[in-house]
């Protein structure tokens, strides 16, 4: 059987209403009009009853009962026009929910609309256009000026500027050259480039974000189920008020009048509209929330745990300072270290070379370059044997002790010359984020890291975290999260690396710093920060708190107005037809209030 949309159902009911009006007022066939409306109304009430039975199987109850009772009771006492108004407004309310959800969800769908669909594959010097799903790892792809990068790849020819704002929130174009990585979904500049595919389409960065959006759209919100449960006491109250009015007045139409204004629509519509609106608002701020239940948990987190590297820090090691051995010139130390490291792709080598260039230290070409995996590099620089790497590699007979900080050690002609010490830059927004989280009610801030305890404690002190657990393996992070006592939950874990993925999945809410982090972390997380900004964690909490507050307000406003009108209707003051009209005004007020969650009240989004 074809399933009609709410909009189609609304048009059908309006058509029946028009025919009934013509029958009663043009052709003077009031009985025919009543029979038509009664048959249609009974049929729709029956379909609602069937739907209610399905919701009972899913653990939801009470939301449709009042609507069914209102339709049946008005038809039973001959108030068939009131029944028709109820049907029009109920189905119209569902259509309004569909519209509000589509409107509120527009930002989430923007990722889907912009998803790369095709690629220019180069085979035997010939270009063929293929769907991105046909691209294999290792294929050569041409990306023309102004086109979206179709797949994650490595530039093998050409230089360009790439706009990654849809992925990272960074509006400034980034220079890219041969050897650099480009992400699917980023926008190529005014130069064509040739890339080698390094991932399949389904594994590419953009498709991971698209998958998160689809999951966010298809997963029901836990709070909506909680809102449904408001219907149980509300339904009981409505039946009691209506029953007393009937008994006292001995008039069954009095019961129908009460039922007409006892609408469950504020419960059915307000909460999901607010939830979807809040998720839409979050997406505009570079925050993808997978489910509505995550919003509920994020509204009241008691403990927040953070990884260090790449989360509280930038994850990019830079040279802090050099410590030359006695009698060694610091510039000479940097010259030999950077010259030996110039051809190495290692992050510490790149940082050392960049530091030398910043300080205008001239470099020499290295020869006889040898890399000893896991230890370091040896090379001939200016005719001298230079070793750079671990302490025992650079100086096997050393009497020095390894530093607690990240460092590389340098020897020249088997003589220890000193070391280059690195530091991981703390995100500038990290201290402010921790303070904001405390103001938002987070009682416990914890650092869980695999780094050394001394380094972790130093970083934690700088950003305002007082509880540190260091030297942790991934399974130890999981144990730490599982051991958080109930009175300190919900517990939220924030991380970015592959090793954080199990911890993100274990926490009540896992947050992935997904702008430059691993897709494994994003897949395991409940919430992904797309923009490279730790402060978005505090923004996510604020949006969640405001969304849940607005959702509850919308539901309670509707219930409050309904209850007042029920008490008035119990005295026979509100005719059933007028009550049906007023009842839908309540629904509109509740939905409009719920839509406030799309923009919030704090103005913190940007």
């Amino acid at each position: 059987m074809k399933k009609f949309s709410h909009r189609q159902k609304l048009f059908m009911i309006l058509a029946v209403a028009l025919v009934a009006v013509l029958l009663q007022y043009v052709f003077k066939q009031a009985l025919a009009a009543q029979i038509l409306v009664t048959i249609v109304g009974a049929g729709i009430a029956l379909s609602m009853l069937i739907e209610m039975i399905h919701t009972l199987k899913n653990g939801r109850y009470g939301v449709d009962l009042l609507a069914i009772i209102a339709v049946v009771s008005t038809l039973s006492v001959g108030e068939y026009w009131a029944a028709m108004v109820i049907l029009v407004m109920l189905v119209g309310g569902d259509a309004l929910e569909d519209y509000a959800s589509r409107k509120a969800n527009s930002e989430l769908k923007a990722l889907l609309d912009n998803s790369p669909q095709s690629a220019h594959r180069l085979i035997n010097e010939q270009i063929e256009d293929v769907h991105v799903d046909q691209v294999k790892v290792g294929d050569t792809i041409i990306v023309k000026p102004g086109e979206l990068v179709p797949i994650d790849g490595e530039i093998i020819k050409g230089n360009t500027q790439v706009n990654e704002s849809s992925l990272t929130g960074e509006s400034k174009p980034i220079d890219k050259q041969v050897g650099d990585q480009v992400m699917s979904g980023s926008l190529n500049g005014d130069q064509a480039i040739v890339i080698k595919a390094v991932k399949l389409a389904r594994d590419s960065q953009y498709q991971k974000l698209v998958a998160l959006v689809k999951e966010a759209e298809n997963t029901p919100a836990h709070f909506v189920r909680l809102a449904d449960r408001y219907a149980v006491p509300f339904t009981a109250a409505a039946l009691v008020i209506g029953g007393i009015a009937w008994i006292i007045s001995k008039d069954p139409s009095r019961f129908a009048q009460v039922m007409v204004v006892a609408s469950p629509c504020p419960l059915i519509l307000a909460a999901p509209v607010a939830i979807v609106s809040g998720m839409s608002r979050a997406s505009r701020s570079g925050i993808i929330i997978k489910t509505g239940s995550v919003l509920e948990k994020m509204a009241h987190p008691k403990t927040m745990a953070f990884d260090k590297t790449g989360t509280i820090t930038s994850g990019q090691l830079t040279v802090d300072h050099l410590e030359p051995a006695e009698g060694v010139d610091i510039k000479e130390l940097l010259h030999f270290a950077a010259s030996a490291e110039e051809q190495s792709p290692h992050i510490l080598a790149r940082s050392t070379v960049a530091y030398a260039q910043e300080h205008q230290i001239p470099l020499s070409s290295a020869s006889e370059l040898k890399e000893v995996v896991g230890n370091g590099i040896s090379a001939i620089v200016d005719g001298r044997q230079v070793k750079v790497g671990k302490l025992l590699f650079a100086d096997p007979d050393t009497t020095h002790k390894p530093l607690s900080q990240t460092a590389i050690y340098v020897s020249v002609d088997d003589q220890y010359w000193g070391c280059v010490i690195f530091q991981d830059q703390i995100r500038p927004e990290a201290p402010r984020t921790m303070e904001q989280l405390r103001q938002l009610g987070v009682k416990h801030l914890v650092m869980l890291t695999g780094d050394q305890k001394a380094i972790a404690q130093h970083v934690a002190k700088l950003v305002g975290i007082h509880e540190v657990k260091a030297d942790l393996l991934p399974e130890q992070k999981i144990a730490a999260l599982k051991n958080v006592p109930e009175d300190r939950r919900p517990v939220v874990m924030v991380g970015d690396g592959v090793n954080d993925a199990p911890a993100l999945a274990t926490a009540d809410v896992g947050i992935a710093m997904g702008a430059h982090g691993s897709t494994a972390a994003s897949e395991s997380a409940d919430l992904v920060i797309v923009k490279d900004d730790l402060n978005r964690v505090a923004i996510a909490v604020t949006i969640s708190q405001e969304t849940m507050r607005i959702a509850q307000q919308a539901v309670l406003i509707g219930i409050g107005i309904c209850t007042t009108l029920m008490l008035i209707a119990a005295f026979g003051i509100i005719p059933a037809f007028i009550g049906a009209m007023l009842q839908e005004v309540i629904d509109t007020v509740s939905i409009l209030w719920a839509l406030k969650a799309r923009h919030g009240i704090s103005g913190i989004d940007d």
Side-chain angles (χ1 to χ4, degrees):
M1 182 181 293
K2 180 181 178 180
K3 186 176 181 179
F4 295 101
S5 68
H6 293 132
R7 184 179 179 182
Q8 291 172 326
K9 288 180 182 178
L10 178 60
F11 286 147
M12 291 169 59
I13 294 173
L14 289 174
V16 170
L18 178 61
V19 172
V21 168
L22 293 175
L23 286 173
Q24 180 162 339
Y25 295 105
V26 177
F27 299 106
K28 307 302 181 182
Q29 298 293 323
L31 179 60
Q34 181 175 357
I35 292 173
L36 175 63
V37 172
T38 301
I39 292 174
V40 172
I44 293 178
L46 179 61
S47 69
M48 292 174 64
L49 178 61
I50 294 173
E51 289 178 5
M52 188 181 73
I53 293 173
H54 286 304
T55 60
L56 283 171
K57 292 180 179 178
N58 293 326
R60 298 168 58 183
Y61 42 86
V63 290
D64 293 327
L65 182 59
L66 281 177
I68 296 171
I69 293 175
V71 172
V72 172
S73 60
T74 49
L75 290 174
S76 299
V77 297
E79 294 282 358
Y80 56 95
W81 284 117
M84 179 56 70
V85 171
I86 294 171
L87 291 174
V88 169
M89 294 303 180
L90 280 174
V91 178
D94 289 336
L96 177 59
E97 178 193 9
D98 291 344
Y99 169 77
S101 296
R102 287 195 303 271
K103 185 71 174 175
N105 211 29
S106 59
E107 287 80 11
L108 285 174
K109 291 184 177 179
L111 279 172
L112 291 171
D113 297 336
N114 293 326
S115 176
Q117 299 296 320
S118 62
H120 311 301
R121 184 164 60 185
L122 187 63
I123 298 181
N124 298 325
E125 302 301 323
Q126 298 293 320
I127 298 176
E128 62 172 0
D129 290 340
V130 298
H131 194 276
V132 290
D133 291 338
Q134 295 178 256
V135 177
K136 299 176 181 178
V137 174
D139 281 356
T140 301
I141 305 296
I142 294 178
V143 185
K144 298 179 181 179
E147 289 187 338
L148 288 175
V149 178
I151 201 162
D152 288 4
E154 178 184 334
I155 298 178
I156 58 176
K157 184 178 180 180
N159 301 321
T160 189
Q161 285 191 326
V162 174
N163 187 328
E164 298 180 344
S165 60
S166 64
L167 300 171
T168 67
E170 174 58 60
S171 58
K172 182 180 178 181
I174 300 173
D175 292 327
K176 297 285 186 178
Q177 55 191 359
V178 173
D180 287 342
Q181 300 285 319
V182 288
M183 295 185 290
S184 63
S186 55
L187 182 65
N188 187 26
D190 56 4
Q191 299 292 327
I193 55 174
V194 180
I195 66 173
K196 180 177 69 175
V198 297
K199 291 182 181 178
L200 298 175
R202 64 174 180 269
D203 299 322
S204 292
Q205 181 76 8
Y206 200 89
Q207 294 302 323
K208 293 297 183 183
L209 296 181
V210 168
L212 297 183
V213 174
K214 289 181 177 179
E215 186 172 349
E217 289 177 327
N218 295 329
T219 307
H222 178 59
F223 180 77
V224 177
R225 294 195 296 270
L226 291 179
D228 290 335
R229 291 170 192 155
Y230 278 104
V232 176
F234 181 60
T235 300
L239 292 174
V240 169
I241 293 172
I244 292 174
W246 185 357
I247 292 171
I248 294 177
S249 66
K250 296 181 173 58
D251 182 1
S253 63
R254 195 70 60 82
F255 177 81
Q257 291 168 0
V258 172
M259 292 300 103
V260 165
V261 296
S263 166
C265 285
L267 307 177
I268 300 172
L269 303 182
V273 169
I275 292 292
V276 175
S277 297
M279 293 170 71
S280 171
R281 179 188 174 195
S283 73
R284 296 199 307 271
S285 295
I287 303 164
I288 294 181
I289 300 176
K290 289 187 178 181
T291 69
S293 62
V294 173
L295 266 171
E296 184 180 11
K297 294 175 184 177
M298 283 295 291
H300 304 288
K302 294 182 180 178
T303 300
M304 275 202 167
F306 296 83
D307 179 45
K308 182 183 75 68
T309 304
T311 302
I312 293 177
T313 66
S314 65
Q316 298 176 349
L317 290 169
T318 57
V319 175
D320 183 47
H321 66 280
L322 282 76
E323 290 187 359
E326 186 176 352
V328 175
D329 181 77
I330 193 170
K331 291 183 179 180
E332 284 289 300
L333 170 63
L334 183 56
H335 165 76
F336 280 109
S339 296
E341 294 271 53
E342 188 175 17
Q343 298 179 43
S344 172
H346 193 276
I347 184 173
L348 299 184
R350 295 199 303 268
S351 296
T352 303
V353 173
Y355 187 77
Q357 292 172 342
E358 288 172 10
H359 289 76
Q360 299 181 340
I361 302 296
L363 303 184
S364 300
S365 297
S367 61
E368 299 183 25
L369 189 69
K370 296 179 181 178
E371 181 175 358
V372 180
V373 178
N375 284 287
I377 286 176
S378 67
I380 301 297
V381 178
D382 297 338
R384 307 182 73 173
Q385 178 73 45
V386 179
K387 291 183 179 180
V388 182
K390 291 184 176 180
L391 179 58
L392 289 176
F393 170 74
D395 186 12
D397 300 323
T398 185
T399 57
H400 299 85
K401 291 183 179 180
L403 299 174
S404 60
Q405 300 142 292
T406 302
I408 56 173
Y409 301 86
V410 183
S411 68
V412 178
D413 293 334
D414 295 326
Q415 297 295 315
Y416 178 73
W417 270 46
C419 61
V420 183
I421 299 173
F422 301 83
Q423 66 174 357
D424 191 354
Q425 297 287 336
I426 293 173
R427 290 179 181 267
E429 72 274 15
R432 178 165 56 94
T433 299
M434 301 307 154
E435 179 58 31
Q436 288 179 335
L437 289 172
R438 287 192 182 88
Q439 293 175 359
L440 291 168
V442 181
K443 302 296 184 183
H444 307 280
L445 298 175
V446 186
M447 180 187 289
L448 301 179
T449 178
D451 210 341
Q452 300 174 39
K453 186 174 183 179
I455 298 174
Q457 288 179 331
H458 175 69
V459 171
K461 183 178 180 181
L462 291 176
V463 300
I465 294 179
H466 304 300
E467 185 176 346
V468 177
K469 295 184 179 180
D471 299 308
L472 298 180
L473 297 173
E475 56 268 27
Q476 292 173 316
K477 287 186 180 181
I478 293 174
L481 292 169
K482 287 182 176 180
N483 291 333
V484 174
E486 285 299 321
D487 60 353
R488 291 177 57 174
R489 290 183 178 273
V491 58
V492 178
M493 175 69 193
V494 186
D496 78 313
V498 174
N499 65 326
D500 294 323
L504 298 181
T506 301
D508 296 321
V509 176
I511 299 180
M513 299 294 294
H516 300 293
S518 74
T519 53
S522 297
E523 285 181 320
S524 301
D526 303 296
L527 185 153
V528 180
I529 306 294
V530 179
K531 295 185 177 181
D532 194 25
D533 179 8
L534 185 63
N535 194 53
R536 301 286 159 172
V537 175
I539 292 176
V541 175
T542 301
I543 290 175
S544 298
Q545 290 180 347
E546 292 184 2
T547 297
M548 301 311 299
R549 189 181 306 124
I550 290 170
Q552 290 173 324
Q553 289 170 351
V555 170
L556 294 175
I557 286 171
I559 289 176
I561 298 174
C562 280
T563 303
T564 302
L565 290 178
M566 283 191 293
L567 293 173
I568 296 174
F571 292 94
I573 300 175
I574 304 177
F577 182 82
I578 300 300
M581 301 297 292
L582 289 175
Q583 173 257 328
E584 296 311 322
V585 172
I586 303 168
D587 301 337
T588 303
V589 170
S590 297
I591 291 171
L592 290 176
W593 191 276
L595 282 171
K596 288 175 60 179
R598 192 165 186 258
H599 299 287
I601 57 178
S602 64
I604 49 77
D605 304 55
D606 297 323

